Amino acid sequence: MTGPSFAHLIRLSDDTGLYEHADGPLPRRAHGYCLDDVARGLVVLCREPEPSAELIVLVERYLAFTAHAQANGGRFHNRLGPDREWRDEPGLGDWWGRALWGLGTAAARCPVPWIRRAALACFDRSAHHRPSSVRAMSFAALGAAEVLSVDADHALAAKLLGDVSSYVGEPADAPDWPWPEHRLFYANAVLPEALIAAGHLLDDPQIRHDGLRLLDWLLTVESREARLSPTPAGGWRVGEPRPAFDQQPIEVAALADACARAHQATGDLRWQAGVRHAIAWFNGDNDLRVPMRDKETGGGYDGLTPDGPNRNQGAESTLALISTLQHGHLVENSTKDK
């Protein structure tokens, strides 16, 4: 399997950051930037085992953007206009969690030493906060897991990762709905992934088991006729019609992330099936049997609607595609090594 293309990510980027939206393959410059996407960009770029010089330049720019978004107290701005002025006040929303995820990944994996040090310093300035959102906390926990993977004695990261289980909670007793929320929303698989990471790195078998149980259930309910049929943008719960639209690439990428994590933590080859189904969803094995990627540009389509793909190729969907293909490559290689 060939690795992902970064051509469209480069197309969406400039010397400031990463444009959020696109009109087809063209960046919508007037819509500006958001930290959510820049932080996702840090994650996928720093996960590359041998990034090119061009990609390292993007890491530098994305890290500078993230540092610029960080306020003195450790909160983050999210939206930067095309005039390079912030459109919001610093907060602890999803973008805070994704910023910590990106910073933790850069601190652990970037091959450039000064980038690792700078990313860790930014991480340390924000890791003491606790948000109200379970997803923000789960994103941040993944960044903490990255830091702990290379420094088991990092106290801030250990505390952050250790606190995530109280946010997610234990699976419910009901076999048809063990999920800790009354409804599936978005990026759902980040919740079990955070538990799996916490259980694995903090040596807590029960938390790891809870995460694996939730992920197994989620993969089952987000599958239909041996292919992925992910939760739509409006959410879903048992009893509502399927398939449902608009399906978002971020949901598919989150499943691939979590299945790759489960495989890493357990060595169980069955989790590879989840990654393969996620790759297949982008390649056309989905509810409408249409590709959700543009192989010419390297972009991912913004959503699967009842009428077919939304062919805009924004940052979130393109990063979801790249992330998913990265996991497929890694899982395939790990299988060959066994």
Side-chain angles (χ1 to χ4, degrees), residues 79-97:
R79 298 197 172 278
L80 187 73
D83 58 357
R84 311 306 194 266
E85 296 291 334
W86 292 110
R87 298 292 193 256
D88 58 4
E89 294 298 319
L92 298 175
D94 283 358
W95 58 92
W96 168 86

Side-chain angles (χ1 to χ4, degrees), residues 219 228 259 268-280 331:
L219 192 58
L228 287 188
C259 287
D268 191 335
L269 299 183
R270 71 189 181 97
W271 296 111
Q272 292 186 27
V275 174
R276 293 194 186 99
H277 286 321
I279 295 168
V331 170

Side-chain angles (χ1 to χ4, degrees):
M1 181 184 296
T2 59
S5 167
F6 288 88
H8 191 56
L9 188 67
I10 294 168
R11 185 178 298 114
L12 292 175
S13 301
D14 67 2
D15 60 357
T16 295
L18 173 62
Y19 286 109
E20 180 178 9
H21 296 300
D23 181 7
L26 300 177
R28 289 185 173 179
R29 299 179 185 272
H31 291 199
Y33 319 81
C34 74
L35 178 60
D36 264 329
D37 291 331
V38 172
R40 289 186 187 104
L42 267 182
V43 171
V44 302
L45 289 171
C46 293
R47 283 201 308 215
E48 276 295 288
E50 297 180 359
S52 66
E54 189 173 24
L55 294 188
I56 290 295
V57 169
L58 281 191
V59 173
E60 294 175 0
R61 291 174 182 171
Y62 292 178
L63 178 58
F65 185 103
T66 304
H68 179 49
Q70 189 175 37
N72 288 336
R75 289 173 167 79
F76 286 91
H77 294 279
N78 186 32
R79 298 197 172 278
L80 187 73
D83 58 357
R84 311 306 194 266
E85 296 291 334
W86 292 110
R87 298 292 193 256
D88 58 4
E89 294 298 319
L92 298 175
D94 283 358
W95 58 92
W96 168 86
R98 289 196 176 100
L100 287 181
W101 186 8
L103 291 168
T105 306
R109 303 201 194 194
C110 184
V112 181
W114 76 260
I115 290 178
R116 294 198 303 271
R117 292 192 297 270
L120 184 60
C122 288
F123 177 92
D124 287 346
R125 285 195 286 271
S126 292
H128 64 282
H129 283 296
R130 295 295 180 268
S132 59
S133 160
V134 64
R135 279 168 181 74
M137 185 63 176
S138 297
F139 294 134
L142 297 182
E146 293 286 345
V147 173
L148 283 176
S149 72
V150 295
D151 181 4
D153 296 324
H154 194 285
L156 266 176
K159 181 68 168 66
L160 177 56
L161 187 59
D163 286 348
V164 75
S165 62
S166 66
Y167 273 75
V168 177
E170 297 178 358
D173 290 335
D176 64 332
W177 196 265
W179 196 251
E181 300 171 304
H182 74 281
R183 187 176 184 81
L184 294 174
F185 294 104
Y186 63 95
N188 293 290
V190 71
L191 274 64
E193 184 186 359
L195 292 182
I196 295 166
H200 181 61
L201 286 164
L202 301 177
D203 195 23
D204 190 319
Q206 185 58 54
I207 291 177
R208 189 181 79 153
H209 174 77
D210 288 347
L212 292 169
R213 179 185 166 197
L214 287 175
L215 179 59
D216 184 60
W217 176 85
L218 182 65
L219 192 58
T220 299
V221 299
E222 293 203 314
S223 298
R224 182 171 174 265
E225 298 175 0
R227 64 176 179 271
L228 287 188
S229 182
T231 298
W236 182 83
R237 69 165 290 118
V238 170
E240 294 180 356
R242 296 290 289 274
F245 303 95
D246 296 327
Q247 295 175 16
Q248 301 293 298
I250 185 178
E251 184 66 18
V252 178
L255 275 171
D257 279 349
C259 287
R261 175 86 60 178
H263 173 261
Q264 177 191 32
T266 67
D268 191 335
L269 299 183
R270 71 189 181 97
W271 296 111
Q272 292 186 27
V275 174
R276 293 194 186 99
H277 286 321
I279 295 168
W281 185 89
F282 281 102
N283 287 333
D285 190 11
N286 50 54
D287 286 318
L288 294 186
R289 306 289 185 171
V290 292
M292 287 299 295
R293 58 186 293 198
D294 186 332
K295 291 189 176 181
E296 181 181 6
T297 67
Y301 295 138
D302 277 358
L304 185 60
T305 78
D307 301 317
N310 174 344
R311 296 189 183 274
N312 293 330
Q313 299 170 34
E316 179 183 290
S317 53
T318 295
L319 289 163
L321 169 64
I322 292 170
S323 172
T324 302
L325 294 179
Q326 281 180 322
H327 284 312
H329 184 66
L330 291 172
V331 170
E332 183 179 79
N333 284 349
S334 70
T335 304
K336 290 177 181 178
D337 292 340
K338 290 186 181 297

